[in-house]
Amino acid sequence: MGMFINSFIRHAQIVKMANLAQLVNVIAPIFTSKDGLYLQTIYFPLAEYAKQKGNQSLNVLVQSPEYKPDAGRALGYLDVSATYDLKSKQIVLNVLNRSEKVDITSRIDNVSGKLSNSIDVWELNNPDLKAAHTFGDDAKVRPATRKSNVALNENGFEYTFPKHSLTILKLKVN
C-alpha cells in the first residue's frame, strides 16, 4: 500500500485522482460481518496517509541500496515520498523499507528551513510478514508511535528504517 501512495504523492503534479480497487474488493481495509468488524493491516497506512491530504508534495532525492526484483531495472530498497503542511510548518516523510532482511540507516537532509531535533515517528512493522488480522484477533499488526530526538548535524540527521517497515516521520521546520 505504501508504494502506491508514495507514487501518487511523488507524481502529484499529474495524478489528480487515484482509485485503488483494494479499498472495496477482496482486501478491503475494514472487514465486517453481522457479529462485528476488524481492521485489516492496510487500514493503518491509509488512515495515516489521509492526514496528509492538502499538503504540498515535495521533491525528494533518495539514495539507498538497490535490488533487482526481476529482469527490469534496479529499485532502491527505500521507497520515499514527502509532503509539507504550510499551516503547521511540518514535513512528513513517508519511507517504506522494502528489504526483507536488512535495517537501512539513511541520512536525511533538509535544504529549506531549519529542522527541529524533535520528531514524531509512526511505524508499521511485524516480524511475521504473513501476519493477518481475523475476527476476534485484530491486534497482530498495529502501528507504533513515539516521539524521538535526533542529533542534528548541518540541518540533517541519520535514521534507521527497520526491515520491511513503513515509517512516517513528522519533522517541524522553522
Side-chain angles (χ1 to χ4, degrees):
M1 191 56 54
M3 287 190 315
F4 289 115
I5 299 175
N6 279 348
S7 179
F8 298 155
I9 291 171
R10 282 194 306 270
H11 298 97
Q13 75 281 9
I14 56 172
V15 176
K16 300 304 175 196
M17 182 173 81
N19 297 310
L20 293 171
Q22 289 83 353
L23 295 179
V24 294
N25 290 337
V26 179
I27 57 170
I30 303 173
F31 270 29
T32 62
S33 77
K34 62 181 179 186
D35 299 323
L37 65 87
Y38 71 90
L39 303 175
Q40 286 276 72
T41 306
I42 65 167
Y43 169 86
F44 303 104
L46 289 170
E48 195 61 26
Y49 274 103
K51 295 175 185 175
Q52 297 178 55
K53 71 178 186 267
N55 289 3
Q56 175 69 43
S57 174
L58 300 176
N59 289 326
V60 293
L61 172 63
V62 180
Q63 296 174 325
S64 80
E66 294 183 333
Y67 71 107
K68 202 164 185 173
D70 54 31
R73 67 182 178 95
L75 297 174
Y77 276 113
L78 296 183
D79 183 84
V80 182
S81 71
T83 65
Y84 179 67
D85 180 4
L86 184 60
K87 278 188 206 172
S88 68
K89 295 186 186 234
Q90 179 173 270
I91 295 171
V92 182
L93 189 63
N94 309 296
V95 181
L96 182 70
N97 181 350
R98 296 186 270 218
S99 174
E100 186 179 337
K101 299 179 178 161
V102 179
D103 296 347
I104 297 175
T105 299
S106 183
R107 170 121 179 125
I108 298 164
D109 289 303
N110 185 48
V111 297
S112 181
K114 182 169 174 24
L115 288 176
S116 166
N117 72 328
S118 176
I119 62 174
D120 292 328
V121 179
W122 182 99
E123 185 182 287
L124 186 64
N125 198 2
N126 189 288
D128 180 2
L129 291 174
K130 297 191 185 260
H133 294 175
T134 59
F135 287 104
D137 187 11
D138 69 345
K140 289 179 183 173
V141 184
R142 294 283 179 146
T145 59
R146 66 184 179 279
K147 290 196 176 292
S148 184
N149 288 318
V150 294
L152 288 176
N153 178 7
E154 296 182 12
N155 211 34
F157 60 94
E158 287 193 347
Y159 192 87
T160 300
F161 298 96
K163 61 188 172 193
H164 57 76
S165 67
L166 173 61
T167 304
I168 299 177
L169 303 178
K170 295 179 181 173
L171 319 160
K172 288 284 191 182
V173 180
N174 297 322

